[in-house]
Amino acid sequence: MKTNRIATISVMLCFFVMGFVDLVGIASNYVKADLQLSDSTANIFPSLVFFWFLLFSVPTGMLMNKIGRKKTVLISLTITVLSLLLPLFGETFAITLTAFSLLGIGNAIMQTSLNPLVTAVVNGGNLAATLTFGQFVKAIASFLAPYLAMWGATAMLPTFGLNWRILFAIYLIVGLFTTTILWVTPITECDECSTKPHSSITQQLSEYRQLLREPIVLLSFFCIMCHVGIDVGTNTTAPKLLMERLGMSLNDAAFATSLYFIFRTIGSFSGSFFLRVLKTRTFFSISVALMALSMIGMFIGHDIWTLYTAIALIGYGNSNIFSICFATALQSMPAKQNEVSGLMIMGLFGGTLFPLAMGIAADATGQAGAVAIMSVGVVYLFTYILKLK
């Protein structure tokens, strides 16, 4: 029991490190201001982070079959630590591009391997609720990022040459600590989690194609694409809405990103309870309805409280979508958990497609165009309700 508790703590620390990927929203806004970039150019940074999910998710599922889940998570932590180290040496376009690429690669590997590792650590219970609690821990790192960036930009820290980039230094220390804790913690992976006989790449890719022919797996894949697209889109667009419509400075508008993640944190924490007492379909329907109300608020809102309310609603509504879709797909194919995990995490590629489209729309019509792109994702989530048991 003691070992299991320690293993659970180490895994939850990894969820906290997983949340580092959400710093790209506020960071891209600061990089945009520092390097004087357009919306479409600045949105390349969050898009680039999630582009790597398309390339690395499926290979990571294969890697887990060969070396196991814990070792795969350790590889992801090492890459993440390196990505946090690079920005401390400067803020050029090339350094930022490289750092964000490594952050995306590390996070793609981590999200693919960490979620299945939970099944080797937490015995029994509701998988969706357990993953939701992990998302709650992840959200803590997410909402702290804008505060740390604002603190670095406005306090005496610019004298150290870091300004808002002090965020990377703090998260670097946490990343090193988490890597050490997981490395020394023994975790016995269950039979389903154990490594599998090696097969050729052609055979493994054929297995993935077979999985995509399962309707619930394919629909869950698109569900996760929409979830992360809306997540990254709100992360980057919320401050821009306040600056465009209320004339706020970036440091003041950055609170919008924190507000989003505060309500995502509240939603994840409360969701771990509601998913145990409510039907999954019922709770999912409520969540999507809140997201729809948020889209309306961001379209018509021109005062601070309407916009803050809309941002809070999207944060709460979007907080449990990933856990429900991921758990639904994972439980539908229990003998193929590694492969299903790889496919679901590939869906985070939506974090590339949505910001790119939103940047182009925002340059053409203002931030209302970006909100319109996110609304497409909300419409799809309504159709997924009918697929939930």
Side-chain angles (χ1 to χ4, degrees), residues 13-14 16-17 20 74 76-85 88 110 168-184:
L13 282 172
C14 291
F16 187 85
V17 174
F20 292 177
L74 285 171
S76 72
L77 287 169
T78 303
I79 297 172
T80 301
V81 166
L82 180 59
S83 74
L84 297 169
L85 180 64
L88 303 184
M110 187 182 302
F168 291 97
I170 295 171
Y171 279 178
L172 172 64
I173 295 171
V174 177
L176 288 169
F177 175 76
T178 301
T179 304
T180 304
I181 293 296
L182 182 64
W183 181 51
V184 301

Short mmCIF file of all heavy atoms in Angstrom, two decimals, residues 13-14 16-17 20 74 76-85 88 110 168-184:
data_model
loop_
_atom_site.label_atom_id
_atom_site.label_comp_id
_atom_site.label_asym_id
_atom_site.label_seq_id
_atom_site.Cartn_x
_atom_site.Cartn_y
_atom_site.Cartn_z
N LEU A 13 2.55 13.76 -10.08
CA LEU A 13 3.56 14.78 -10.39
C LEU A 13 3.81 14.85 -11.89
O LEU A 13 4.03 15.93 -12.45
CB LEU A 13 4.87 14.47 -9.64
CG LEU A 13 4.92 14.83 -8.16
CD1 LEU A 13 6.20 14.29 -7.53
CD2 LEU A 13 4.85 16.35 -7.97
N CYS A 14 3.76 13.70 -12.53
CA CYS A 14 3.93 13.68 -13.99
C CYS A 14 2.78 14.39 -14.68
O CYS A 14 2.97 15.07 -15.70
CB CYS A 14 4.04 12.24 -14.49
SG CYS A 14 5.55 11.38 -14.00
N PHE A 16 1.28 16.91 -13.45
CA PHE A 16 1.60 18.33 -13.27
C PHE A 16 2.56 18.80 -14.36
O PHE A 16 2.37 19.85 -14.96
CB PHE A 16 2.22 18.55 -11.88
CG PHE A 16 2.43 20.00 -11.53
CD1 PHE A 16 1.42 20.75 -10.98
CD2 PHE A 16 3.66 20.62 -11.77
CE1 PHE A 16 1.60 22.09 -10.66
CE2 PHE A 16 3.86 21.95 -11.47
CZ PHE A 16 2.82 22.69 -10.91
N VAL A 17 3.60 17.98 -14.64
CA VAL A 17 4.55 18.33 -15.70
C VAL A 17 3.85 18.32 -17.05
O VAL A 17 4.17 19.13 -17.94
CB VAL A 17 5.75 17.36 -15.68
CG1 VAL A 17 6.68 17.61 -16.87
CG2 VAL A 17 6.52 17.48 -14.38
N PHE A 20 2.63 21.59 -18.32
CA PHE A 20 3.55 22.62 -18.81
C PHE A 20 3.25 23.01 -20.25
O PHE A 20 3.56 24.11 -20.68
CB PHE A 20 5.00 22.14 -18.69
CG PHE A 20 5.50 21.97 -17.28
CD1 PHE A 20 6.78 21.48 -17.05
CD2 PHE A 20 4.71 22.29 -16.20
CE1 PHE A 20 7.25 21.32 -15.75
CE2 PHE A 20 5.16 22.12 -14.89
CZ PHE A 20 6.43 21.64 -14.67
N LEU A 74 9.63 8.35 -18.64
CA LEU A 74 10.92 8.94 -18.28
C LEU A 74 11.59 9.61 -19.48
O LEU A 74 12.21 10.67 -19.35
CB LEU A 74 11.84 7.87 -17.67
CG LEU A 74 11.51 7.44 -16.24
CD1 LEU A 74 12.34 6.22 -15.83
CD2 LEU A 74 11.75 8.59 -15.26
N SER A 76 10.00 10.96 -21.96
CA SER A 76 9.24 12.19 -22.21
C SER A 76 9.63 13.29 -21.23
O SER A 76 9.72 14.47 -21.60
CB SER A 76 7.74 11.91 -22.11
OG SER A 76 7.34 11.68 -20.78
N LEU A 77 9.87 12.92 -19.97
CA LEU A 77 10.27 13.91 -18.97
C LEU A 77 11.63 14.52 -19.32
O LEU A 77 11.84 15.74 -19.16
CB LEU A 77 10.32 13.26 -17.59
CG LEU A 77 8.98 12.93 -16.93
CD1 LEU A 77 9.18 12.06 -15.70
CD2 LEU A 77 8.23 14.22 -16.56
N THR A 78 12.54 13.70 -19.80
CA THR A 78 13.87 14.19 -20.17
C THR A 78 13.78 15.21 -21.31
O THR A 78 14.44 16.27 -21.26
CB THR A 78 14.77 13.02 -20.59
OG1 THR A 78 14.84 12.06 -19.52
CG2 THR A 78 16.16 13.50 -20.93
N ILE A 79 12.97 14.92 -22.31
CA ILE A 79 12.80 15.85 -23.44
C ILE A 79 12.13 17.14 -22.97
O ILE A 79 12.51 18.25 -23.39
CB ILE A 79 11.98 15.19 -24.56
CG1 ILE A 79 12.73 13.97 -25.11
CG2 ILE A 79 11.69 16.18 -25.68
CD1 ILE A 79 11.93 13.14 -26.09
N THR A 80 11.15 17.02 -22.08
CA THR A 80 10.47 18.21 -21.55
C THR A 80 11.43 19.11 -20.79
O THR A 80 11.40 20.34 -20.94
CB THR A 80 9.30 17.78 -20.64
OG1 THR A 80 8.37 16.99 -21.40
CG2 THR A 80 8.58 18.99 -20.08
N VAL A 81 12.29 18.51 -19.96
CA VAL A 81 13.27 19.29 -19.21
C VAL A 81 14.19 20.06 -20.15
O VAL A 81 14.49 21.24 -19.93
CB VAL A 81 14.09 18.36 -18.28
CG1 VAL A 81 15.33 19.07 -17.74
CG2 VAL A 81 13.21 17.89 -17.11
N LEU A 82 14.62 19.43 -21.22
CA LEU A 82 15.48 20.10 -22.20
C LEU A 82 14.75 21.27 -22.85
O LEU A 82 15.35 22.34 -23.07
CB LEU A 82 15.93 19.10 -23.25
CG LEU A 82 16.84 19.64 -24.36
CD1 LEU A 82 18.12 20.23 -23.77
CD2 LEU A 82 17.18 18.53 -25.36
N SER A 83 13.48 21.10 -23.15
CA SER A 83 12.70 22.17 -23.78
C SER A 83 12.57 23.39 -22.87
O SER A 83 12.50 24.53 -23.35
CB SER A 83 11.31 21.66 -24.16
OG SER A 83 10.47 21.52 -23.02
N LEU A 84 12.54 23.17 -21.56
CA LEU A 84 12.42 24.27 -20.60
C LEU A 84 13.76 24.96 -20.38
O LEU A 84 13.79 26.13 -19.97
CB LEU A 84 11.89 23.73 -19.27
CG LEU A 84 10.48 23.13 -19.31
CD1 LEU A 84 10.17 22.40 -18.01
CD2 LEU A 84 9.44 24.21 -19.57
N LEU A 85 14.84 24.27 -20.66
CA LEU A 85 16.17 24.83 -20.46
C LEU A 85 16.53 25.83 -21.57
O LEU A 85 17.14 26.88 -21.31
CB LEU A 85 17.20 23.70 -20.41
CG LEU A 85 18.66 24.09 -20.21
CD1 LEU A 85 18.87 24.77 -18.86
CD2 LEU A 85 19.56 22.85 -20.34
N LEU A 88 16.02 29.80 -21.52
CA LEU A 88 16.81 30.56 -20.56
C LEU A 88 18.04 31.18 -21.22
O LEU A 88 18.69 32.06 -20.64
CB LEU A 88 17.25 29.66 -19.39
CG LEU A 88 16.11 28.96 -18.63
CD1 LEU A 88 16.67 28.18 -17.45
CD2 LEU A 88 15.06 29.97 -18.15
N MET A 110 4.59 11.85 -23.47
CA MET A 110 4.08 11.73 -22.10
C MET A 110 2.59 11.43 -22.08
O MET A 110 2.12 10.54 -21.34
CB MET A 110 4.35 13.02 -21.32
CG MET A 110 4.01 12.92 -19.84
SD MET A 110 4.31 14.47 -18.95
CE MET A 110 6.04 14.75 -19.29
N PHE A 168 9.91 29.50 -17.32
CA PHE A 168 10.63 28.31 -17.76
C PHE A 168 11.59 27.81 -16.69
O PHE A 168 11.76 26.60 -16.49
CB PHE A 168 11.39 28.60 -19.06
CG PHE A 168 10.51 28.81 -20.25
CD1 PHE A 168 10.17 30.09 -20.65
CD2 PHE A 168 10.00 27.73 -20.97
CE1 PHE A 168 9.35 30.29 -21.76
CE2 PHE A 168 9.19 27.92 -22.06
CZ PHE A 168 8.85 29.21 -22.46
N ALA A 169 12.23 28.74 -15.98
CA ALA A 169 13.20 28.35 -14.94
C ALA A 169 12.51 27.62 -13.78
O ALA A 169 13.00 26.61 -13.28
CB ALA A 169 13.93 29.59 -14.42
N ILE A 170 11.34 28.14 -13.38
CA ILE A 170 10.61 27.51 -12.27
C ILE A 170 10.12 26.13 -12.66
O ILE A 170 10.27 25.14 -11.92
CB ILE A 170 9.43 28.41 -11.85
CG1 ILE A 170 9.97 29.73 -11.28
CG2 ILE A 170 8.54 27.70 -10.83
CD1 ILE A 170 8.90 30.77 -11.02
N TYR A 171 9.55 26.01 -13.85
CA TYR A 171 9.05 24.72 -14.30
C TYR A 171 10.19 23.74 -14.59
O TYR A 171 10.01 22.52 -14.49
CB TYR A 171 8.16 24.89 -15.52
CG TYR A 171 6.74 25.31 -15.20
CD1 TYR A 171 5.80 25.55 -16.20
CD2 TYR A 171 6.33 25.45 -13.88
CE1 TYR A 171 4.49 25.92 -15.89
CE2 TYR A 171 5.03 25.82 -13.57
CZ TYR A 171 4.12 26.06 -14.58
OH TYR A 171 2.83 26.42 -14.26
N LEU A 172 11.36 24.25 -14.94
CA LEU A 172 12.52 23.39 -15.14
C LEU A 172 12.89 22.67 -13.84
O LEU A 172 13.16 21.46 -13.84
CB LEU A 172 13.71 24.22 -15.62
CG LEU A 172 15.06 23.51 -15.71
CD1 LEU A 172 15.02 22.38 -16.74
CD2 LEU A 172 16.18 24.50 -16.05
N ILE A 173 12.88 23.40 -12.73
CA ILE A 173 13.20 22.80 -11.43
C ILE A 173 12.19 21.72 -11.07
O ILE A 173 12.54 20.62 -10.62
CB ILE A 173 13.23 23.89 -10.34
CG1 ILE A 173 14.38 24.87 -10.62
CG2 ILE A 173 13.39 23.28 -8.95
CD1 ILE A 173 14.37 26.10 -9.73
N VAL A 174 10.91 22.02 -11.29
CA VAL A 174 9.86 21.03 -11.00
C VAL A 174 10.02 19.80 -11.89
O VAL A 174 9.85 18.66 -11.44
CB VAL A 174 8.46 21.65 -11.21
CG1 VAL A 174 7.37 20.61 -10.97
CG2 VAL A 174 8.26 22.83 -10.28
N GLY A 175 10.37 20.01 -13.15
CA GLY A 175 10.55 18.90 -14.08
C GLY A 175 11.70 17.99 -13.67
O GLY A 175 11.59 16.75 -13.74
N LEU A 176 12.80 18.56 -13.22
CA LEU A 176 13.94 17.77 -12.76
C LEU A 176 13.56 16.95 -11.52
O LEU A 176 13.92 15.77 -11.40
CB LEU A 176 15.13 18.68 -12.44
CG LEU A 176 15.84 19.30 -13.66
CD1 LEU A 176 16.81 20.38 -13.20
CD2 LEU A 176 16.57 18.22 -14.46
N PHE A 177 12.82 17.57 -10.60
CA PHE A 177 12.39 16.88 -9.38
C PHE A 177 11.47 15.70 -9.72
O PHE A 177 11.64 14.59 -9.20
CB PHE A 177 11.67 17.86 -8.46
CG PHE A 177 11.08 17.24 -7.23
CD1 PHE A 177 11.88 16.87 -6.16
CD2 PHE A 177 9.72 17.01 -7.14
CE1 PHE A 177 11.34 16.27 -5.03
CE2 PHE A 177 9.16 16.43 -6.02
CZ PHE A 177 9.98 16.06 -4.96
N THR A 178 10.52 15.92 -10.62
CA THR A 178 9.57 14.86 -11.00
C THR A 178 10.28 13.70 -11.69
O THR A 178 9.97 12.53 -11.43
CB THR A 178 8.49 15.44 -11.93
OG1 THR A 178 7.81 16.50 -11.25
CG2 THR A 178 7.50 14.37 -12.34
N THR A 179 11.23 14.02 -12.55
CA THR A 179 11.98 12.97 -13.24
C THR A 179 12.72 12.08 -12.24
O THR A 179 12.72 10.84 -12.36
CB THR A 179 13.01 13.59 -14.21
OG1 THR A 179 12.32 14.45 -15.13
CG2 THR A 179 13.74 12.51 -14.99
N THR A 180 13.31 12.70 -11.23
CA THR A 180 14.04 11.95 -10.21
C THR A 180 13.12 11.05 -9.41
O THR A 180 13.42 9.87 -9.16
CB THR A 180 14.79 12.91 -9.27
OG1 THR A 180 15.66 13.75 -10.04
CG2 THR A 180 15.61 12.15 -8.25
N ILE A 181 11.96 11.60 -9.00
CA ILE A 181 11.01 10.84 -8.19
C ILE A 181 10.49 9.62 -8.94
O ILE A 181 10.45 8.51 -8.41
CB ILE A 181 9.84 11.74 -7.75
CG1 ILE A 181 10.32 12.82 -6.78
CG2 ILE A 181 8.73 10.90 -7.11
CD1 ILE A 181 10.85 12.29 -5.47
N LEU A 182 10.09 9.81 -10.20
CA LEU A 182 9.57 8.68 -10.96
C LEU A 182 10.66 7.64 -11.21
O LEU A 182 10.41 6.44 -11.17
CB LEU A 182 9.00 9.16 -12.30
CG LEU A 182 8.38 8.06 -13.18
CD1 LEU A 182 7.16 7.44 -12.49
CD2 LEU A 182 7.99 8.60 -14.55
N TRP A 183 11.88 8.09 -11.46
CA TRP A 183 12.99 7.18 -11.75
C TRP A 183 13.27 6.22 -10.58
O TRP A 183 13.54 5.04 -10.77
CB TRP A 183 14.24 7.99 -12.09
CG TRP A 183 15.44 7.16 -12.43
CD1 TRP A 183 15.52 6.15 -13.33
CD2 TRP A 183 16.75 7.28 -11.85
NE1 TRP A 183 16.79 5.62 -13.37
CE2 TRP A 183 17.57 6.30 -12.46
CE3 TRP A 183 17.31 8.12 -10.89
CZ2 TRP A 183 18.91 6.13 -12.12
CZ3 TRP A 183 18.65 7.95 -10.56
CH2 TRP A 183 19.43 6.97 -11.17
N VAL A 184 13.18 6.73 -9.34
CA VAL A 184 13.51 5.91 -8.16
C VAL A 184 12.31 5.16 -7.62
O VAL A 184 12.45 4.35 -6.70
CB VAL A 184 14.14 6.78 -7.05
CG1 VAL A 184 15.41 7.46 -7.54
CG2 VAL A 184 13.15 7.81 -6.52
#
